[in-house]
Amino acid sequence: MEKSGKFSDYLFAKMGPPNVTASVHGSELPPKTTERSDAPVELTGYRKWLSDNLMLLVTLSGVLLGVIMGLSLRPLHLHGDSIMLISYPGELFMRVLKLMILPLVISSLIAGSASLNAKMNGKIALRTLVYFASTSFFNAALGIALVLLIHPGNPDMHNNDDRSTDKRTVNLLDSLLDLGRNIFPDNLFQASIQQAHTVYLPKPSILHAFNETLNDTAILLSGGVEAQRQAEDLDEVVLVRDVQYRSGTNTLGIVFFCLVFGTFLGTIGQKGQVVVDFFAAIFEVIMKMVTCVMWLTPVGISSVIAGKILSVDDLGLVMAQLIWFIFTVAIGVFLYQFVVMQAIYFVFVRRNPFKFYAGLIQAMLTAFATASTAAALPITFRCMNEKLRVDPRITRFVLPIGCNINMDGTALYIAVASIFIAQMSGMVLGFGELLTVLLTSTAASMSSASVPSAALVLLLVVLTAIDAPVQDVTLLFAVDWFVDRIRTTNNMLGDCYTAAIVEELSRKELMALDAAAVNYQDMPAGTPNGHSEGMLEGQTELITDSVVVDMSAVMNNVNLQQEHSNRRV
């Protein structure tokens, strides 16, 4: 019961002293001498609201300014150089945000996974991945249901004369194999700048030159249709797979390495403390840099949105042709955000979900403007840790993984777009084809890169699986700049809600880790696992295997205290 008493003291210490004014015989006592009389007065009313939501208002003003500026300048038919100059501040803003992604992901994952023991990391990872896969599957099913109900595809929208019979060699197997190659990179430094992907190249053949000569001779001598057909058969190109590297950060491989590195770092005790402090300091520095960059939000976001609106050739015609497609995707995104996501949060967390949603508006607007979950990751960290007070150990673990794996909006978009193109082609999809769309959309979305318009590449995988024409994908390029921003908000919010739900499901384990850390700090300095100093505030990184062995006892004490409190109530 001694550990139980220490754990109760720890909980009361974390709650802080009661906020009451002492009184003697009905009269209030003066404040303590330790309280400064010149302390700043706490703001109230609308001033407090403005102070708390100033950054949100700044971000919203940037979005509105960009839309107004883009629509106002369209009638002037600006030159390409003028549009480039308008977009240039937004380009710099995006580059600064992307600059902080790699150090932020590395520091947050290593510090977050080191703060938990290996068993806890496994539980959180399992809960996170199960939630990601379930919500992606649900979004793909929701997209299929909506596109079948609304039926936005019109067969008269495309020109049959422009369609060719070429088929790009893209399949789900290659995407899944590339996903595994990127998760397990063979060079960590190469993973910082390149990604592995499969391409199809013509198979080199010794008889290629001979076949060309034979074809030309046969055509000249016979001049017949049969000779022409035989020449084409002989000249048929055989394609073979080849794994190459393309420019772009392999974030999946870096995430995997950092998780493993941080997990083992948390098991070596005092020897790894200096490394944990190093990455924790990097995370704090990056977050301070993000705070400074956020004051450039109005200029950067307005420039990005205005440049995109001005770069579209015929905005009215494109919107009129694809209005039902945009409407279907938007309905699915908003239905999931305002109904399904809020219901899931309320069922698991038992709190007001819309209050949690309101705390993420600034991050959502940034994701909408940048069309990238990874680019909005620094702002997402700031909202989750400072505004919503989600446990940093969970956010540092879940958010970097989510921005690379959890693509709820992308799964919905791929399902809607693939069936939309099939409807335009007059195809009638049976149950087997719909099931194929459901599974391939879910799998493809989880292998999507967190970059703008990455879903258009994955859409080719689904279209090839159901034998739909891949040429009609070019029609979606005209509106993808807008639809991409809508679905990116779903991706970002899905990561945040996952972190909140995983925190609630892992609350007992987190409390046990805190209690073990308190008991661990109470050990004498000479004990094998004791530490006399060097722990940061809220730091629980240094829990070795010997302490983890006692976690069951701590968990029993936690459960006993909860039972006693329930009986008293």
Side-chain angles (χ1 to χ4, degrees):
M1 295 302 292
E2 182 180 357
K3 289 185 178 180
S4 177
K6 291 183 179 180
F7 182 67
S8 301
D9 297 340
Y10 168 76
L11 291 181
F12 283 115
K14 296 293 285 184
M15 293 171 58
N19 188 17
V20 295
T21 303
S23 61
V24 177
H25 302 294
S27 61
E28 295 183 356
L29 294 177
K32 297 180 181 179
T33 56
T34 56
E35 298 180 0
R36 295 183 56 183
S37 59
D38 58 345
V41 180
E42 184 179 356
L43 298 177
T44 57
Y46 73 94
R47 292 182 179 179
K48 184 177 185 302
W49 186 88
L50 287 176
S51 177
D52 295 339
N53 299 277
L54 180 60
M55 194 62 70
L56 172 61
L57 297 176
V58 168
T59 307
L60 182 60
S61 64
V63 175
L64 295 178
L65 180 61
V67 174
I68 295 173
M69 185 168 61
L71 296 178
S72 302
L73 296 178
R74 279 192 63 84
L76 300 180
H77 302 288
L78 298 177
H79 190 266
D81 293 341
S82 301
I83 297 177
M84 182 184 65
L85 292 176
I86 293 175
S87 305
Y88 187 67
E91 179 185 351
L92 297 181
F93 179 73
M94 289 283 294
R95 293 172 72 91
V96 172
L97 286 180
K98 292 179 179 179
L99 174 66
M100 291 184 272
I101 292 174
L102 191 59
L104 184 64
V105 169
I106 293 175
S107 61
S108 63
L109 277 176
I110 292 179
S113 56
S115 65
L116 308 168
N117 56 66
K119 184 178 180 181
M120 184 64 181
N121 280 344
K123 288 184 178 180
I124 293 180
L126 180 61
R127 290 164 181 163
T128 302
L129 293 178
V130 169
Y131 185 87
F132 285 165
S134 302
T135 53
S136 297
F137 184 86
F138 178 84
N139 273 271
L142 178 62
I144 293 175
L146 289 175
V147 74
L148 293 178
L149 180 63
I150 300 176
H151 202 284
N154 184 2
D156 299 330
M157 288 181 61
H158 62 78
N159 187 2
N160 292 325
D161 296 335
D162 295 335
R163 295 176 61 187
S164 61
T165 57
D166 295 336
K167 294 285 184 179
R168 290 191 57 179
T169 309
V170 179
N171 56 57
L172 183 61
L173 177 61
D174 292 331
S175 298
L176 294 178
L177 294 179
D178 289 340
L179 178 64
R181 295 186 184 102
N182 287 319
I183 292 178
F184 303 99
D186 55 355
N187 190 322
L188 188 63
F189 296 98
Q190 186 183 24
S192 302
I193 57 176
Q194 287 183 333
Q195 300 173 346
H197 74 123
T198 301
V199 296
Y200 283 81
L201 300 176
K203 182 179 181 180
S205 176
I206 302 177
L207 301 176
H208 181 68
F210 175 76
N211 289 338
E212 287 185 351
T213 305
L214 181 61
N215 294 342
D216 296 338
T217 305
I219 293 172
L220 289 174
L221 291 177
S222 62
V225 178
E226 184 66 21
Q228 175 70 25
R229 186 185 62 80
Q230 292 178 359
E232 292 177 355
D233 293 340
L234 288 173
D235 197 34
E236 184 178 357
V237 178
V238 179
L239 299 179
V240 294
R241 290 184 177 92
D242 184 36
V243 179
Q244 296 184 355
Y245 289 90
R246 60 187 174 190
S247 299
T249 304
N250 179 15
T251 318
L252 284 175
I254 295 175
V255 164
F256 173 78
F257 176 81
C258 292
L259 283 178
V260 176
F261 182 84
T263 300
F264 285 98
L265 179 63
T267 62
I268 63 175
Q270 180 67 25
K271 292 183 292 185
Q273 179 62 31
V274 62
V275 182
V276 175
D277 293 343
F278 172 74
F279 285 106
I282 290 180
F283 182 81
E284 295 298 329
V285 171
I286 294 296
M287 294 310 297
K288 288 184 178 295
M289 293 173 62
V290 170
T291 304
C292 296
V293 172
M294 285 310 299
W295 293 107
L296 303 176
T297 298
V299 178
I301 288 183
S302 60
S303 174
V304 170
I305 294 180
K308 285 295 182 181
I309 294 177
L310 292 173
S311 62
V312 179
D313 294 331
D314 195 340
L315 186 63
L317 178 62
V318 168
M319 290 297 181
Q321 286 183 338
L322 299 176
I323 186 64
W324 283 108
F325 171 74
I326 299 173
F327 176 76
T328 304
V329 176
I331 285 294
V333 168
F334 294 141
L335 182 64
Y336 181 73
Q337 282 187 20
F338 292 104
V339 178
V340 179
M341 195 178 289
Q342 312 304 326
I344 295 175
Y345 181 87
F346 179 77
V347 168
F348 283 96
V349 184
R350 295 293 179 179
R351 295 177 186 171
N352 185 358
F354 294 101
K355 185 178 180 181
F356 185 82
Y357 183 87
L360 296 170
I361 293 180
Q362 180 186 350
M364 185 171 59
L365 291 175
T366 306
F368 177 85
T370 59
S372 174
T373 312
L377 184 61
I379 292 88
T380 307
F381 265 115
R382 189 173 181 271
C383 293
M384 292 289 286
N385 294 338
E386 297 181 9
K387 284 190 176 182
L388 299 175
R389 303 295 182 183
V390 180
D391 197 313
R393 292 170 293 183
I394 300 297
T395 57
R396 294 179 184 181
F397 192 97
V398 174
L399 293 184
I401 302 176
C403 74
N404 293 279
I405 297 179
N406 185 35
M407 300 291 175
D408 296 336
T410 302
L412 187 145
Y413 171 80
I414 294 176
V416 172
S418 58
I419 299 180
F420 169 75
I421 292 176
Q423 291 174 350
M424 285 197 308
S425 304
M427 295 178 58
V428 178
L429 300 179
F431 178 77
E433 288 82 0
L434 294 178
L435 182 61
T436 301
V437 171
L438 177 63
L439 297 178
T440 53
S441 298
T442 304
S445 66
M446 298 189 71
S447 62
S448 173
S450 184
V451 296
S453 301
L456 288 177
V457 179
L458 299 173
L459 182 58
L460 298 174
V461 176
V462 184
L463 294 177
T464 306
I466 61 175
D467 198 26
V470 298
Q471 293 76 24
D472 291 335
V473 173
T474 57
L475 184 65
L476 301 181
F477 277 96
V479 296
D480 190 69
W481 64 273
F482 178 72
V483 181
D484 191 12
R485 283 160 168 73
I486 298 177
R487 66 173 181 263
T488 301
T489 59
N490 240 22
N491 299 337
M492 187 279 302
L493 289 172
D495 300 341
C496 298
Y497 277 75
T498 302
I501 292 172
V502 169
E503 181 197 26
E504 184 65 27
L505 295 177
S506 309
R507 186 166 296 278
K508 286 187 178 181
E509 290 87 350
L510 292 173
M511 292 173 63
L513 286 174
D514 292 336
V518 171
N519 295 333
Y520 190 54
Q521 288 178 328
D522 290 340
M523 291 181 180
T527 58
N529 296 316
H531 304 287
S532 59
E533 57 184 359
M535 294 292 290
L536 298 175
E537 183 180 357
Q539 190 87 17
T540 58
E541 280 83 351
L542 304 178
I543 302 176
T544 56
D545 294 337
S546 58
V547 179
V548 175
V549 173
D550 297 333
M551 292 291 288
S552 59
V554 179
M555 287 294 298
N556 292 333
N557 292 334
V558 173
N559 294 330
L560 288 175
Q561 287 187 0
Q562 291 181 347
E563 292 179 1
H564 288 310
S565 61
N566 293 333
R567 291 175 182 175
R568 292 175 182 176
V569 173

